[in-house]
Amino acid sequence: MTKRIFTAIVLVTVVILLLSSALISVVLYGDLETQFFNELKSEAHTIAVALESGLPAEGYLPALEPARVTELRVTWVAASGEVLYDSDADETTMENHLAREEIAEALENGYGDSTRNSATISKKTIYYACRLSDGTVLRVSGTQDSVFGILFNILKPMAWVLLAAVGLALVLSYRVSKRVVRPLNELDLEHPQKVETYDELTPLLEKISAQNRQIRAQMEQLRRSQEEFAAVTGHMSEGLLVIDAKMRLLFCNEAAKRLLHIGQAETQSLLTVNRSAPFREAAEEALQGKHAQESVTLDGRIYQLMANPAYDGQTLTGAVLLLLDVTEREDRERLRREFTANVSHELRTPLTSISGFAELIREGLAKQEDIPRFADRICKESQRLLALIEDILRLSQLDEGGTTEEKTPQKLDELAVSVVQQLAPVAKEKGILITVDTAPCEVMGVRRVLEELIYNLCDNAVKYNRPKGSVKVTAKHIDGVPTLIVADTGIGIPEAEQERVFERFYRVDKSHSKAIGGTGLGLSIVKHAAAFHNAEIKMQSELGKGTEIRLSFPA
């Protein structure tokens, strides 16, 4: 800013000086030109008066040359334009002057004048002519410097004046610019309201003061947020990690440091923290904008690693990773699988025997009055237990990897139609309308497992439906994806229970399930069968209105 003020003052000084010199020259030149013309006119009329008084021109005009003070040229021209006398040249060699502007005007009007510039444009000649009583014309002329000539003559003194003015302007502009800028350099931006400076800066200082207050408030809020975040994450038992798009570790809480043995330097790469394949794959999927979930083992315990992408607007900037200790849950699942397998193996034979005895009793081997009631009860319970055992066996098989059968192309639409035909009599007996909407739809899978999956979904839809309700089974491509949808108008599932209905033995309404013979394993079998086929399950349900379960198979 100092340099700009300094340069501006110097330039203004130089420009003003040059313009002033030019203006003064032009004004003075105009005055000098008028004065010079009046001198020519006076001289011409003086000589004309002398000649008109009777003095002979041949003797009077030559006699004037030694007496002239100014360098004026006198020319006497006849009415025909012939030069009769000229004070600076031999009149016999001069051309006819009748065409000269000032001569022609004098002959016509009695007087005339004209101005002619020399070839160099540094001087010009002014002519004044008057007509005498005998018809001849007396002309007086003189040369004068042009305005450029005058400027050229004063160029040297003007240069000295210009140099002096520039020098003075340099000194003054330097001091003035320093003085102007000093208050700006001394501004205290932390406390602008206490600064004494130019009145014109008051609005700016008020805005700076307001911005300072806003920044301090935002910094305080940010500090509190950071403290709260640190307090929350510091007391978490789960490990929390934040990485950027280049997989550099930006943040990790104390639990993550403890689990992954991370030092104080947090700006290291995530790959230096844990090089296991599940850890790396989860982070890479999250940085591709996908949700990832893996299982990792740390210090002999099992952790569920969940990775989610982090966005700033529409730009993916990193990922957030969360480590959950699921060791106990995994142990419970293992114990449950073992229990299910053991109970199924131990109870299958005696329960089959019970079923056989019940049939014998029903055939008449018990007391006549008790046979119908006992036989019916034993038969129903045995069949229910057999169904339970079968479900447990299926579930255990799916837990252990599904089946030894290879996956082959299966027509999902035909399987859906087959299951609906099997359940149609049961649905009709309960007054439930079951319909099917299919189109050619093929998936890779095991026919028996797929059939059980569809059967369990449709069986649940019929069992837990309301009187005169309906069930709709859809099997077709939706948006290019093989899809199975089972929708009913049944009792529905409360929102709080929807995440648990796929757990084993879990029943939303235990009394109702017992009354209709439910085992609590149907949806669990569906979940494991869907996982075996890499299908995605989505459920929508509203209490009292019905449930829709959608399975999307890999295309």
Side-chain angles (χ1 to χ4, degrees):
M1 185 174 179
T2 304
K3 184 178 180 181
R4 290 184 178 181
I5 295 175
F6 175 79
T7 305
I9 293 176
V10 172
L11 288 177
V12 169
T13 302
V14 172
V15 171
I16 289 177
L17 184 62
L18 292 174
L19 291 177
S20 299
S21 300
L23 182 62
I24 291 172
S25 299
V26 171
V27 173
L28 290 177
Y29 179 77
D31 293 341
L32 291 174
E33 185 176 20
T34 302
Q35 183 180 356
F36 186 70
F37 180 78
N38 291 334
E39 182 181 349
L40 288 178
K41 185 176 180 180
S42 176
E43 183 73 13
H45 283 291
T46 300
I47 297 173
V49 169
L51 293 176
E52 292 289 356
S53 64
L55 292 176
E58 293 81 356
Y60 175 70
L61 293 178
L64 289 175
E65 293 182 21
R68 278 191 294 127
V69 178
T70 58
E71 295 182 358
L72 299 179
R73 180 179 180 180
V74 178
T75 305
W76 185 30
V77 181
S80 61
E82 179 185 356
V83 178
L84 302 177
Y85 171 79
D86 188 90
S87 60
D88 290 354
D90 184 5
E91 60 273 9
T92 58
T93 61
M94 297 177 66
E95 61 183 5
N96 191 287
H97 279 37
L98 189 62
R100 299 295 175 90
E101 181 181 353
E102 68 279 2
I103 299 298
E105 288 185 4
L107 289 173
E108 183 178 354
N109 302 322
Y111 64 89
D113 62 83
S114 66
T115 301
R116 286 192 284 277
N117 292 318
S118 66
T120 60
I121 318 178
S122 62
K123 290 182 178 293
K124 67 178 181 179
T125 304
I126 301 175
Y127 299 90
Y128 180 81
C130 61
R131 187 182 61 199
L132 302 181
S133 57
D134 59 358
T136 60
V137 177
L138 178 67
R139 184 184 71 177
V140 180
S141 63
T143 59
Q144 182 187 31
D145 288 336
S146 65
V147 66
F148 298 104
I150 295 175
L151 289 175
F152 182 77
N153 291 334
I154 66 172
L155 183 61
K156 186 174 182 180
M158 187 173 66
W160 285 107
V161 173
L162 181 62
L163 289 176
V166 169
L168 182 60
L170 291 174
V171 175
L172 293 178
S173 60
Y174 178 78
R175 297 184 63 183
V176 169
S177 60
K178 287 291 185 183
R179 184 175 299 176
V180 169
V181 174
R182 185 181 299 114
L184 301 179
N185 292 333
E186 294 176 353
L187 286 177
D188 183 3
L189 297 181
E190 292 295 327
H191 307 89
Q193 68 276 10
K194 298 180 180 179
V195 176
E196 293 183 4
T197 184
Y198 306 116
D199 294 338
E200 292 79 3
L201 293 179
T202 300
L204 174 62
L205 297 179
E206 290 177 351
K207 289 182 179 179
I208 293 176
S209 179
Q211 288 181 346
N212 285 345
R213 290 193 296 271
Q214 183 179 0
I215 291 173
R216 283 194 292 269
Q218 292 175 344
M219 291 295 292
E220 179 63 22
Q221 183 179 359
L222 180 61
R223 184 187 63 79
R224 288 197 301 269
S225 299
Q226 288 178 333
E227 290 177 353
E228 293 172 359
F229 180 75
V232 172
T233 57
H235 292 85
M236 289 173 58
S237 59
E238 299 84 3
L240 178 66
L241 302 98
V242 180
I243 60 175
D244 64 10
K246 295 183 178 179
M247 215 175 285
R248 290 177 298 203
L249 189 60
L250 302 179
F251 170 82
C252 61
N253 65 350
E254 292 301 323
K257 291 179 181 179
R258 184 177 64 256
L259 292 172
L260 300 171
H261 310 290
I262 301 175
Q264 294 300 320
E266 295 184 359
T267 55
Q268 53 188 309
S269 172
L270 182 68
L271 297 180
T272 64
V273 172
N274 191 298
R275 294 181 178 275
S276 64
F279 215 90
R280 184 184 67 255
E281 290 170 2
E284 289 175 350
E285 282 194 42
L287 292 178
Q288 293 174 1
K290 304 175 183 177
H291 168 75
Q293 187 169 308
E294 298 285 349
S295 180
V296 296
T297 302
L298 301 171
D299 297 334
R301 296 187 67 83
I302 302 172
Y303 288 87
Q304 185 178 24
L305 174 62
M306 292 183 290
N308 288 289
Y311 291 91
D312 182 7
Q314 299 295 324
T315 304
L316 192 147
T317 57
V320 179
L321 287 76
L322 187 66
L323 285 166
L324 298 176
D325 190 343
V326 294
T327 306
E328 294 181 2
R329 189 182 73 185
E330 291 296 323
D331 289 342
R332 286 196 301 268
E333 285 295 318
R334 179 177 56 80
L335 291 174
R336 180 177 289 182
R337 287 195 297 270
E338 291 176 358
F339 171 78
T340 303
N342 291 334
V343 168
S344 300
H345 177 73
E346 295 296 332
L347 295 182
R348 184 181 180 91
T349 302
L351 288 177
T352 303
S353 298
I354 292 172
S355 178
F357 285 127
E359 290 178 1
L360 290 175
I361 294 172
R362 192 170 54 184
E363 293 296 328
L365 298 179
K367 291 182 181 182
Q368 190 65 33
E369 63 272 16
D370 294 329
I371 289 176
R373 181 167 55 91
F374 289 157
D376 188 61
R377 182 70 178 269
I378 293 173
C379 184
K380 287 183 179 178
E381 291 296 329
S382 62
Q383 292 298 329
R384 181 178 175 187
L385 290 174
L386 282 173
L388 173 61
I389 292 171
E390 291 296 332
D391 286 347
I392 292 173
L393 288 174
R394 291 191 191 96
L395 197 55
S396 178
Q397 188 181 37
L398 290 171
D399 276 341
E400 297 302 326
T403 177
T404 56
E405 301 175 56
E406 292 185 2
K407 293 180 181 178
T408 57
Q410 300 294 331
K411 295 182 179 181
L412 190 64
D413 54 313
E414 292 183 0
L415 289 174
V417 171
S418 175
V419 170
V420 169
Q421 289 174 350
Q422 292 177 45
L423 290 172
V426 179
K428 183 177 181 182
E429 183 181 344
K430 293 187 175 184
I432 296 170
L433 176 64
I434 183 168
T435 59
V436 63
D437 178 17
T438 63
C441 181
E442 192 173 85
V443 298
M444 289 295 295
V446 176
R447 180 180 181 86
R448 178 179 55 80
V449 178
L450 286 173
E451 195 168 20
E452 288 177 358
L453 182 152
I454 302 171
Y455 185 89
N456 276 287
L457 286 176
C458 295
D459 187 45
N460 271 7
V462 172
K463 284 181 179 179
Y464 296 97
N465 216 315
R466 55 181 173 81
K468 297 183 179 179
S470 64
V471 176
K472 182 178 180 180
V473 181
T474 304
K476 60 173 64 173
H477 283 85
I478 298 178
D479 296 329
V481 178
T483 305
L484 173 70
I485 302 174
V486 178
D488 63 62
T489 59
I491 60 176
I493 303 170
E495 185 176 355
E497 309 282 348
Q498 290 179 13
E499 293 184 0
R500 302 197 60 190
V501 294
F502 292 98
E503 295 179 11
R504 303 171 196 189
F505 301 107
Y506 186 82
R507 298 179 179 90
V508 177
D509 185 348
K510 296 178 176 58
S511 61
H512 188 67
S513 297
K514 186 176 181 180
I516 63 174
T519 65
L521 294 175
L523 289 181
S524 185
I525 293 174
V526 169
K527 174 185 174 182
H528 286 77
F532 176 73
H533 289 89
N534 298 319
E536 181 184 4
I537 302 178
K538 291 183 179 179
M539 182 175 67
Q540 292 181 347
S541 184
E542 188 173 350
L543 195 62
K545 293 188 176 180
T547 302
E548 176 185 292
I549 297 180
R550 177 188 297 247
L551 281 81
S552 300
F553 292 83

